[in-house]
Amino acid sequence: APFSFWLSASALLCAVALAFFSLKSPKERLTALLAFALLLWAGAASVPQGFGEIAHGEGEWRFWGVVTRAPRPYAGGLSLEVNLKGRAPPEPDGAFEPMAGKLILSVDGGVSPLPLEGDAVFWRGSLFDPIGLKNPGGELKPFYYMRQGIVARSAAKYPGEVFFAEPLDEGFLKKSRKELGAAMETAAGGEAGAVLRALVLGDYSGVSQVTIDEFRRCGTTHLLAVSGFHLGIVAFGAVALLSFCWSRIPYLALRVPAQLASAIGAVPLLIFYALLTGAQAATLRALFMTLLLVLAALLKIKTSFFNLLASAILVIGLYDPRMLFDPGLHLSAFALAGIFWLSPALFKTKREAEPEQKIKRLAGGGFAKALWEKALAILKTSFCATVATMPVSAYYFGGASLMGLMANPVGVPLVGAVSLPLGVAGAFLHPLWPTGAALCWKGAGMGLEILLKAQKFLSPKAVFISGPFTGLAAIVGGVVLAYSIVIFKKGGDKSLRRALWSAVLAATLIFGPPAFKWTLLAARSSARLYLFDVGNGQSAALSLPRKGFNAPFWVLVDGGGFPSSSYDIGKNQITPALKALGCERPDLAVSSHPHPDHLLGLVSVIREVGPKLLVLPESFKGDERYGPLLLAASEGGVPVRWVGPGAYELPECPGISIFSSPGPGENDKSLMVVAESGGEAVLVSGDVESRGQENILSLLPEGDFLAATAPHHGLPDAFLRAFWEKVRPRKILVSSQNGGKSPCAELRGIAGEQGASIFTTGEVGYILAEFGGTDAEPKAAR
């Protein structure tokens, strides 16, 4: 896109200018220019060259492809990245024609056994644009799809519409990874075995969504990622073994130092392990840093941590430019900065004692003290790495867990000193001694069971950095704040002044954007209605201005939902949308009725953001479909109020009126919400059909609404001319992707008669209607 091009070009020019102002010698400047030129070439090479024509939405076809990475399971299904290989007509006897492209395949159902990377997959379905739902808060998704090269999405049900098969020509690495993973999971047993498989091989396919959520809430998700920590253990073991063997052969030891020979000999083993685990960005960063360090030792060139890190990232950019945008690489780099930059500044380390002094100290009873100092050093390092990665986690994942400050100092030593070394040792022992490998994995699993139990206890108590502190400015602010701390530790008047100004800049970057956003929300005089894009369900939010300079009053009506899918639309769409709009916690949440396309997403929203009050229709009191919602409200301490048929005004909710019909059908018992501000009003209807509208018509206020959502998604069974003649909205908003049936012809006809505009979420994504302010009409809808 032109914007992306100019943004990238501006960033490159700024980087070049900064290099010329900060670097003094011509040699340094020439090196910097060469690095920027290589990155520019890598960026041009990374432009997608096309994957062939993929027809989106052209009905149902038969497809086949190859799974490109381990599946990511979620409640009731799994998500796969697939390289598309062929397409055939829906008839079973039709031949496949070649097709190219990468897509996301969502599979609903309990797939067993789980497919692995490299497996073939055959399914029946349609292809659609990768961005299925367009709501606020989804800005990173197009960027993620671009980075992964994903050009389409598809869905299928298991069993019946999809099946998997082992590849006909399986490579050595994929076969080894599959066999090792299966043996590892069996030896460790249970959920600990699945976590060990992810920990050692980067294969998450067996880890349950519940466990993944616990890792996320505890801020320990990085423990599941194969990174430099893993390569460090492999390198330590390989170097120790090779050095021991090399030094025992005088002919070799006298000619080449054992330390250098063992480092060179460990390189092939490190490369093999990196490829075995899928060559992830963080793993490649560690691998390239190690290779560069060995090369510097051979050439007798002095180097530093930052030079190695920058050079490794440059090599990654040349190897695969898209990896430069990988969150794993960013988290890895920030963790290293915390360990090698922030930690030495915060915690001054004692000078390492001579070997003779260590022996005397241990002989004098200082073993316990030495052990405590080592443990304390690990805790400090883990703390700094966690703090350094928090802004990046908040930016990419919508929040960073403060629980990580407690969980990581315990989890990192447990995993790093017990489970990971035993798991890696077992992986290399397995071809030679399967029994010994199984014992190693059993011990590793016992350590992980302790970690899983601790996380299960801690995760409900987790507190997140979220909402306004998840932007790009917060990341920059975090870096500047760390810089100010480092400068402050140096001392001196000049350093103190620089640290003070850096701290002021950091505070501005961290707290400025949230304060500015809050000020805009508080100063806004108009109210807003947001109708979210949730497929054929419905979810809407209302933002009403308060008196004085205060944040708006937020109301959420329904949460959408997919009855035939396990996709959690509340967690993945509604909650991010609310936070992107500036709503950290709704003042009121309303469930119109317990049908899944309105209710399912609301459960996650109640768990994630916990509104101050939940209103439910009394006509459905005791309905078991409200069980999960009531449980979530009880766990979050959210009060519940039931309203029966009639008209209600809630004292704590100014400008909000709720209307309910006595029936006769379930749809007819849906709640309707009317919001009024500045002399204008909007109406959010549920699924009230024509007979229910007749029973509630006398209660509704007289018309000229600015906007109204179409009852029951604009279908013919919910059209009542008398209803629309009374409401007379200028904007009719329809939540539906069913273009063939909704909005119905009758609704289109009366809209034309009244001069009203119709907007459908299936056509434009989420819809915004602004009312009650001087600038309402020019921005009435989009």
Side-chain angles (χ1 to χ4, degrees):
F3 174 77
S4 301
F5 171 79
W6 288 114
L7 183 65
S8 302
S10 302
L12 182 66
L13 289 175
C14 290
V16 173
L18 184 63
F20 264 84
F21 280 110
S22 60
L23 301 177
K24 297 180 180 179
S25 71
K27 183 179 178 181
E28 289 176 336
R29 292 180 176 178
L30 182 62
T31 304
L33 276 180
L34 177 62
F36 287 131
L38 288 172
L39 281 176
L40 186 63
W41 171 82
S46 69
V47 176
Q49 302 300 316
F51 295 90
E53 294 184 0
I54 294 184
H56 290 178
E58 281 192 358
E60 191 175 78
W61 291 78
R62 289 182 295 132
F63 299 99
W64 86 276
V66 177
V67 179
T68 61
R69 61 185 298 180
R72 296 187 178 272
Y74 54 80
L78 53 86
S79 177
L80 301 166
E81 289 185 11
V82 177
N83 266 337
L84 188 61
K85 297 295 185 182
R87 179 183 73 171
E91 296 78 14
D93 55 348
F96 281 93
E97 60 183 42
M99 287 193 72
K102 194 173 182 181
L103 56 86
I104 290 181
L105 174 63
S106 299
V107 180
D108 287 317
V111 180
S112 181
L114 289 173
L116 299 174
E117 183 181 342
D119 284 355
V121 54
F122 299 82
W123 77 97
R124 181 186 295 270
S126 301
L127 298 183
F128 301 96
D129 188 85
I131 307 297
L133 302 173
K134 300 173 184 177
N135 291 304
E139 291 79 8
L140 285 176
K141 290 185 179 179
F143 182 71
Y144 170 80
Y145 292 140
M146 178 202 72
R147 179 171 58 83
Q148 295 294 329
I150 293 170
V151 295
R153 63 183 172 90
S154 187
K157 294 180 181 179
Y158 180 90
E161 294 179 352
V162 60
F163 73 91
F164 301 91
E166 293 187 358
L168 298 176
D169 184 18
E170 195 170 27
F172 172 74
L173 284 175
K174 291 180 180 179
K175 186 177 180 180
S176 300
R177 190 182 189 191
K178 184 185 296 185
E179 292 177 353
L180 276 175
M184 192 178 298
E185 194 167 349
T186 302
E191 190 68 13
V195 172
L196 182 62
R197 186 174 188 169
L199 178 70
V200 177
L201 299 175
D203 184 354
Y204 304 85
S205 57
V207 185
S208 69
Q209 186 62 41
V210 174
T211 300
I212 291 176
D213 287 341
E214 288 174 355
F215 271 93
R216 180 182 63 85
R217 294 187 66 82
C218 289
T220 54
T221 311
H222 64 94
L223 295 177
L224 295 175
V226 179
S227 63
F229 199 24
H230 299 63
L231 286 184
I233 290 175
V234 175
F236 177 80
V239 168
L241 180 62
L242 291 173
S243 180
F244 176 82
C245 297
W246 192 273
S247 61
R248 294 300 183 273
I249 305 175
Y251 178 82
L252 298 176
L254 291 173
R255 284 161 176 77
V256 180
Q259 186 176 5
L260 180 60
S262 59
I264 296 173
V267 167
L269 198 61
L270 294 176
I271 295 175
F272 171 77
Y273 183 70
L275 295 175
L276 180 67
T277 56
Q280 300 174 27
T283 315
L284 290 179
R285 187 272 311 158
L287 176 64
F288 291 144
M289 285 185 72
T290 304
L291 296 178
L292 290 169
L293 185 61
V294 173
L295 182 62
L298 286 173
L299 299 177
K300 296 181 180 180
I301 297 175
K302 290 184 178 181
T303 186
S304 67
F305 155 72
F306 287 106
N307 284 341
L308 287 174
L309 178 60
S311 301
I313 292 175
L314 176 61
V315 174
I316 287 175
L318 300 177
Y319 169 75
D320 186 351
R322 291 179 300 183
M323 281 191 175
L324 293 176
F325 304 101
D326 192 291
L329 177 63
H330 301 165
L331 287 169
S332 175
F334 271 71
L336 286 178
I339 294 171
F340 291 99
W341 184 45
L342 186 59
S343 182
L346 288 178
F347 309 107
K348 290 184 178 180
T349 56
K350 294 182 179 180
R351 185 177 178 182
E352 194 70 24
E354 296 294 332
E356 295 81 3
Q357 294 176 340
K358 286 184 178 180
I359 294 172
K360 290 179 181 178
R361 182 174 157 193
L362 293 177
F367 178 76
K369 186 177 180 181
L371 188 63
W372 166 249
E373 288 178 354
K374 183 62 68 175
L376 195 61
I378 293 174
L379 292 177
K380 291 175 181 178
T381 302
S382 177
F383 173 83
C384 290
T386 303
V387 170
T389 56
M390 273 187 173
V392 185
S393 297
Y395 175 69
Y396 278 113
F397 310 116
S401 175
L402 293 175
M403 186 62 73
L405 297 174
M406 295 175 55
N408 276 307
V410 177
V412 169
L414 180 63
V415 171
V418 180
S419 297
L420 184 56
L422 289 174
V424 173
F428 285 100
L429 270 177
H430 185 260
L432 304 173
W433 187 24
T435 304
L439 290 174
C440 289
W441 292 331
K442 188 71 174 177
M446 292 172 65
L448 290 176
E449 285 176 0
I450 296 173
L451 177 66
L452 293 176
K453 288 179 181 178
Q455 290 189 158
K456 189 177 290 293
F457 172 77
L458 292 173
S459 61
K461 303 171 179 59
V463 178
F464 280 83
I465 296 175
S466 61
F469 301 105
T470 60
L472 190 60
I475 295 182
V476 180
V479 174
V480 176
L481 181 61
Y483 172 78
S484 67
I485 294 172
V486 173
I487 295 298
F488 176 78
K489 283 288 185 176
K490 287 185 177 180
D493 293 339
K494 187 176 181 180
S495 295
L496 290 177
R497 285 195 299 270
R498 191 183 299 175
L500 178 62
W501 284 112
S502 299
V504 171
L505 176 60
T508 303
L509 290 169
I510 295 173
F511 298 102
F516 181 70
K517 188 173 185 178
W518 185 91
T519 302
L520 288 179
L521 288 172
R524 194 166 64 199
S525 60
S526 61
R528 291 188 174 190
L529 163 63
Y530 300 92
L531 186 63
F532 297 127
D533 182 11
V534 291
N536 288 322
Q538 181 171 294
S539 179
L542 293 157
S543 172
L544 306 177
R546 300 179 194 258
K547 291 182 179 180
F549 196 72
N550 293 299
F553 185 91
W554 287 94
V555 182
L556 176 66
V557 184
D558 291 337
F562 294 107
S564 59
S565 171
S566 53
Y567 179 74
D568 192 338
I569 195 167
K571 177 180 177 181
N572 294 295
Q573 295 287 338
I574 307 304
T575 299
L578 289 173
K579 292 184 177 182
L581 295 173
C583 174
E584 291 298 311
R585 185 186 183 190
D587 297 273
L588 172 66
V590 179
S591 172
S592 64
H593 64 301
H595 285 180
D597 58 329
H598 291 246
L599 173 64
L600 293 178
L602 196 57
V603 178
S604 292
V605 176
I606 297 296
R607 293 187 189 279
E608 296 282 336
V609 297
K612 298 177 183 178
L613 177 65
L614 174 62
V615 171
L616 304 177
E618 193 173 26
S619 301
F620 296 97
K621 195 170 186 177
D623 194 311
E624 62 181 11
R625 290 172 293 184
Y626 271 137
L629 184 66
L630 293 173
L631 178 61
S634 175
E635 292 174 347
V638 179
V640 178
R641 183 174 302 173
W642 299 87
V643 297
Y648 295 88
E649 290 187 3
L650 305 177
E652 59 270 70
C653 306
I656 299 294
S657 301
I658 297 178
F659 300 86
S660 176
S661 166
E666 282 196 342
N667 280 341
D668 296 315
K669 298 176 184 178
S670 300
L671 299 182
M672 283 187 175
V673 178
V674 172
E676 188 276 332
S677 178
E680 290 186 316
V682 296
L683 183 148
V684 181
S685 59
D687 280 350
V688 182
E689 297 177 10
S690 55
R691 294 182 64 185
Q693 294 171 29
E694 290 176 353
N695 293 331
I696 205 175
L697 199 59
S698 61
L699 301 176
L700 291 175
E702 196 64 33
D704 282 340
F705 282 77
L706 177 89
T709 65
H712 202 200
H713 318 289
L715 293 172
D717 58 8
F719 177 79
L720 181 69
R721 173 171 286 272
F723 172 82
W724 292 106
E725 287 177 346
K726 183 168 187 178
V727 175
R728 294 193 308 275
R730 281 170 275 168
K731 313 289 179 184
I732 299 175
L733 316 181
V734 184
S735 181
S736 174
Q737 288 187 342
N738 191 349
K741 294 183 179 179
S742 60
C744 63
E746 295 86 347
L747 181 56
R748 291 184 182 275
I750 200 169
E753 294 174 13
Q754 297 179 349
S757 303
I758 296 181
F759 299 87
T760 306
T761 57
E763 297 176 354
V764 299
Y766 85 98
I767 302 170
L768 162 64
E770 199 165 358
F771 63 101
T774 55
D775 58 346
E777 188 58 31
K779 300 179 181 178
R782 74 163 188 80

